Amino acid sequence: MQIRHYYIAIILIITISSCNTTNITTNADLPNKYVNAFIGTDEHGHTYPGAQLPFGMVQLSPDNGQSGWNWVSGYHYSDSIIVGFSHTHLSGAGIGDLQDISLMPTIADFDINTIYKQRDDKPYAAYYTHNDEVAEPGYYSVNFKETGIKAELTATPRTGFHKYSFSKGSNRNIVLDLGYAVNWDASTETEIEYIDAHTVIGKRYSTGWAKDQRVYFCAKFSEPIQDVISTGNINIAKNKKATGKAINTLFKFKQDINEILVKVSISSVSKEGAIANLQTENQTWDFNTARTQAANIWTESLSNITVEGEDIDKKTVFYTALYRSKLAPTLASDVDSQYRGGDIKVHKADGRNHYSGLSLWDVFRAQNPLLTITNPDVAVDIANTMLAHYDETGILPVWVLAGNETNTMTGYHSVSMLAEVIMKNLPGIDTERAFQAMKATMMQDQRGLKELREHNYIPYNLMDESVTISLELAYNDYGVAMVANKLGYTDDYKYFLNRSMAYQHLFDGRVGFMRGKDSNGNWRENFDPKHSAHRVGTDYTEGNAWQHSWFVLHDIQGLVNQFENEDAFEKQLTLLFNESSEITGEDASPDITGMIGQYAHGNEPSHHIAYMYNYIGQAWKTQELVHQIMREQYPNSPDGISGNEDMGQMSAWYVLSGLGFYPVNPTDGNFIIGTPLFAKSCINLQGNKQFVISTENHSDENFYIQSASLNGKELNRSYISYEEIMNGGELHFVMGNKPNKEWASEINSRPPSVSNLNN
C-alpha cells in the first residue's frame, strides 16, 4: 500500500479477502484482531508496541527512559515506568537511536530546570502494568492509575496523535523533552518556537548512530496553553523562542479540563515541512475517527494475505509477523516529496516515496523478497531510494538511518536488492542506471573490496570478519553479474561471475568449513568452529564457522562440490543441527541466539540453512526443520522473537515459511519449498489476482509433503518462481505424517545454482 494513499474504505478490505476462506470475511474476524504488538518486546526482540501506519514516518510509542541493549527500541516488557511518548523508533535493531520529540502528560508541577540523575526521580515518570496497556495496529493506550491519566496514541503517516484524559489532581501539564536521549543518542541543538496559544514548532538535532540527524516538528494542542516555561525559565509565550543543547518545556493548561489532544508532525527537511505535513494529513480533532482510519489502513495492508485455520496462536503469530514486516523501512519524504538525503542536503523525490531505516544486511534475505510480493510498489521505491543515495554520495548504501550512512554490518546488500528487483522485472527502475551504480560500488576500494580483488578473498590479517565479508561480497558480485548478463554486458558478466566464486578460496575440505586465510595463503591456526568473538579479532560476523560456512546462496551446488561427495555435505549439514549448542570464546557475540544445535535462528546468517536440503534432493528434511523452527522459535508471547527483529527480517522469515516457501537466493527469484503452516493461505495480489496455497490432510502431525501440483499439473520440483506466484494460481500439497523421500529428489527437480546452470 502506498503511504500517500492512506484513506480507504472497509468495504474494499472485505472484498479483497475473498480467497474462499471462511475465517476472514467479517469485521469481527479481520486480521488486526490477531496482531499481538507485544511479541518481541521482551528478551532481545527490540520491538515497540506503539502506533504507526505501514512504513510510516512516525512511530509513536512509549519510552521507559532506560539505556542498555534491552531498551534499544525505547521499551522493554520487563519495565514498569514510562517517561514519555516519542515519535521515532527502530523496529528491532541491534543499536539504539532515535526516540525523538518526547511528550509526557503529568499532574505534577515542578522546576523545568531540574536535572534528574535517575529516570525514577523524574516527577512525571509514571508507573504502569501490562494489564493497563492496549496495543493494536495503529493504536496504543496506557492507563496510569496512580496519576489518573490515560494516554492514547494513534498516527497518520507523518503525524502522531495523542489523547490525554485526566481524572485526578488539579494540574493539567504536558512535558516536551527535546533533550531526551538514551543509548547511542545525544542531542546537539534544540529549539522551540511559540506560534500561538495552540501551536509550537521546533527542531532537534542529534548525534549517535546517525551522526547528523535533524528532526523538525509542529505540535498543535486542542486546548489553549495557559503558561509555558522552557529550560532557563524562558516563557516562550512572551519571548517566542528558546534554544539550547537540550531544551525541556512545561506546558500548563486550565485545571478544569479533562481531556487534551495533541497532534505532532515531524519532518527531516524543515519546520515548514512539518507544518505542511500536519495540515495535509491530520485535519480532524476527533481522536476516534483518526484511530478508525489507522485501523482501516492496517486492515487493508494485512488483508493482502489471508490464512485459514482454527489455531489462534498460529494466526496471531502469523499476522503479527506480517504486521512487523510492514513497519520498516520508514517514510522519509514530506507531503511535498522533499527529504534530507545522504549528503544531508534537501532533495525531492518526484513521483515516489523516499525511505530511511534501510537495514540491508538483514532485510535482503526475506523482508524485501516478501515486499516484492505484498508491496511491490514499496520495493520499487526502496530501490529508487538506494539509487538516490548513490546519486547523492557516489556509492550505494550499507545501512542508512535518518539519511546518514552508518556503515553498519558487512557486504553491499543494496547491490543484491537492486539485482533482485531488476531480475524480477519490477517496473519503475532505470535498469541501466542501477547497473552502473552497482558496478561502481563493487569496483571501489572500501570495506574489503580492494583486498578481495588483490587476493580473490579477504585475508584475515588485513581485516576482521574476513570470511563473512568475502562470502557476502561474492554474493553481491553475483548480483552484478546477473544484471550484466541481462543487459548484454558479457565481459562484466564473466568478470563478476568469476569474482562470485571467492568462496572456493576459503573452504577447507579437510575440516568442512570456511576458514580464515592470511595474505600468504596460510590457514588461521588453532581453528575452532564453535569459537565466536563479537566483531573484533574474528573471521565471522556475529557468529562462528558453523553458522557462516553455508553462505553461498547463489551456488549451493558449487558448495556441495567442495565436499568429497553429496553424502559428506549432507552429514555436515545434519551435524549442524545436532551438535551441542556450546559457543566458545570470551567475547562471544550476543547475537547467537535461537539455537538448534549450532544453528542460530536468532540471527540472519542462519535463516536460509534449513532449506538447503532441497538442493541435495532431501526436501523432507527441510520440511522437518522448518516445521520445528516455526513451532519452537515463534511463541505467541512477549519473548516470541529469538533474536533482534531487525527491521522485519525475523518476521518475514516466518511469513514466507508459513506460506510454504522461502527465497534462499533472492536474486534468482526462486522460492524454495518448505512446509505450509496453514491448511489454506491466499496471497491477494495486485491486479485482482490471487495465489492460493492449499492442502489435503493438513495437521500439526502431517507436515510432510506427499505430492504437489501447480495449477492442476503435477509439481515434482522443490521450488517455484516469483513469476509463477505473481501470475496467480494455486499451489496444492497433499500432506502426510511420514516423509515421502522420493518427492523432488531427482537432480532436475532441485533448485538451480550457478554450477547447475553452467553445466
Side-chain angles (χ1 to χ4, degrees), residues 278-345:
L278 191 148
Q279 291 175 338
T280 303
E281 288 188 353
N282 198 335
Q283 299 180 6
T284 180
W285 280 107
D286 187 327
F287 183 88
N288 289 334
T289 295
R291 176 184 174 182
T292 298
Q293 289 172 347
N296 289 352
I297 291 165
W298 272 114
T299 301
E300 180 193 37
S301 190
L302 297 177
S303 293
N304 57 21
I305 300 180
T306 61
V307 297
E308 187 173 302
E310 300 301 323
D311 190 318
I312 300 302
D313 280 341
K314 282 184 182 178
K315 291 174 73 172
T316 298
V317 173
F318 182 87
Y319 277 113
T320 304
L322 184 60
Y323 165 78
R324 294 239 179 264
S325 76
K326 295 169 183 270
L327 294 182
T330 55
L331 186 64
S333 47
D334 291 342
V335 292
D336 64 358
S337 297
Q338 290 194 101
Y339 68 92
R340 193 169 297 278
D343 54 2
I344 314 300
K345 297 178 181 179

Side-chain angles (χ1 to χ4, degrees), residues 686-719:
Q686 293 184 353
N688 295 318
K689 291 186 286 189
Q690 295 175 331
F691 188 76
V692 179
I693 302 97
S694 62
T695 65
E696 293 178 43
N697 307 321
H698 184 277
S699 70
D700 284 343
E701 295 76 27
N702 294 353
F703 57 82
Y704 290 109
I705 295 172
Q706 306 300 299
S707 64
S709 61
L710 181 63
N711 299 327
K713 297 181 179 179
E714 181 182 5
L715 183 74
N716 194 33
R717 54 179 158 91
S718 58
Y719 64 96

Side-chain angles (χ1 to χ4, degrees), residues 142-445:
V142 60
N143 193 358
F144 302 116
K145 290 183 178 178
E146 190 173 317
T147 62
I149 297 174
K150 181 178 182 180
E152 298 178 81
L153 313 174
T154 190
T156 68
R158 301 171 179 86
T159 303
F161 197 176
H162 309 238
K163 178 182 178 181
Y164 301 142
S165 302
F166 298 82
S167 63
K168 292 183 180 180
S170 57
N171 292 317
R172 302 292 185 259
N173 298 336
I174 296 175
V175 179
L176 171 60
D177 186 353
L178 297 180
Y180 175 74
V182 292
N183 292 315
W184 286 256
D185 181 58
S187 60
T188 58
E189 182 182 348
T190 63
E191 176 184 290
I192 184 168
E193 182 178 353
Y194 183 91
I195 302 300
D196 57 44
H198 290 272
T199 312
V200 296
I201 60 176
K203 68 182 183 183
R204 181 181 191 268
Y205 292 177
S206 62
T207 187
W209 189 16
K211 298 302 181 185
D212 185 358
Q213 187 197 1
R214 306 182 187 190
V215 180
Y216 301 88
F217 71 93
C218 175
K220 206 163 192 63
F221 301 91
S222 61
E223 298 294 330
I225 302 165
Q226 298 297 300
D227 197 9
V228 54
I229 303 296
S230 292
T231 302
N233 290 322
I234 297 174
N235 186 325
I236 62 170
K238 295 180 180 179
N239 295 289
K240 299 303 180 184
K241 185 182 293 187
T243 60
K245 184 177 180 180
I247 292 291
N248 290 347
T249 301
L250 181 63
F251 298 93
K252 298 184 178 183
F253 299 86
K254 289 171 58 177
Q255 295 184 346
D256 60 349
I257 60 175
N258 295 322
E259 184 177 286
I260 301 174
L261 303 173
V262 193
K263 296 188 286 191
V264 182
S265 60
I266 62 174
S267 166
S268 67
V269 174
S270 64
K271 288 176 279 189
E272 293 74 19
I275 293 169
N277 288 344
L278 191 148
Q279 291 175 338
T280 303
E281 288 188 353
N282 198 335
Q283 299 180 6
T284 180
W285 280 107
D286 187 327
F287 183 88
N288 289 334
T289 295
R291 176 184 174 182
T292 298
Q293 289 172 347
N296 289 352
I297 291 165
W298 272 114
T299 301
E300 180 193 37
S301 190
L302 297 177
S303 293
N304 57 21
I305 300 180
T306 61
V307 297
E308 187 173 302
E310 300 301 323
D311 190 318
I312 300 302
D313 280 341
K314 282 184 182 178
K315 291 174 73 172
T316 298
V317 173
F318 182 87
Y319 277 113
T320 304
L322 184 60
Y323 165 78
R324 294 239 179 264
S325 76
K326 295 169 183 270
L327 294 182
T330 55
L331 186 64
S333 47
D334 291 342
V335 292
D336 64 358
S337 297
Q338 290 194 101
Y339 68 92
R340 193 169 297 278
D343 54 2
I344 314 300
K345 297 178 181 179
V346 175
H347 302 270
K348 194 164 187 178
D350 289 326
R352 66 174 178 88
N353 289 323
H354 192 84
Y355 287 101
S356 186
L358 301 179
S359 182
L360 306 181
W361 186 83
D362 304 293
V363 303
F364 88 89
R365 306 166 197 264
Q367 194 245 11
N368 198 69
L370 176 60
L371 292 182
T372 65
I373 297 172
T374 61
N375 299 82
D377 50 349
V378 174
V380 169
D381 281 353
I382 293 169
N384 284 315
T385 292
M386 295 188 296
L387 290 175
H389 184 90
Y390 173 80
D391 292 339
E392 295 151 12
T393 67
I395 196 167
L396 286 169
V398 176
W399 210 125
V400 175
L401 178 63
N404 289 236
E405 176 58 87
T406 69
N407 271 306
T408 301
M409 305 309 293
T410 45
Y412 273 105
H413 299 296
S414 49
V415 172
S416 297
M417 285 171 56
L418 283 168
E420 177 194 2
V421 296
I422 290 169
M423 297 307 291
K424 288 180 175 178
N425 296 310
L426 270 68
I429 300 165
D430 184 336
T431 305
E432 179 64 35
R433 172 185 171 219
F435 172 71
Q436 296 303 330
M438 295 162 68
K439 179 180 176 180
T441 297
M442 295 304 292
M443 289 302 293
Q444 43 91 26
D445 290 339

Side-chain angles (χ1 to χ4, degrees), residues 117-144:
K117 295 182 179 179
Q118 303 293 330
R119 67 95 189 244
D120 295 20
D121 296 334
K122 293 181 177 181
Y124 51 87
Y127 288 91
Y128 70 100
T129 71
H130 297 304
N131 291 332
D132 298 318
E133 289 182 290
V134 174
E136 302 168 354
Y139 175 78
Y140 171 87
S141 73
V142 60
N143 193 358
F144 302 116

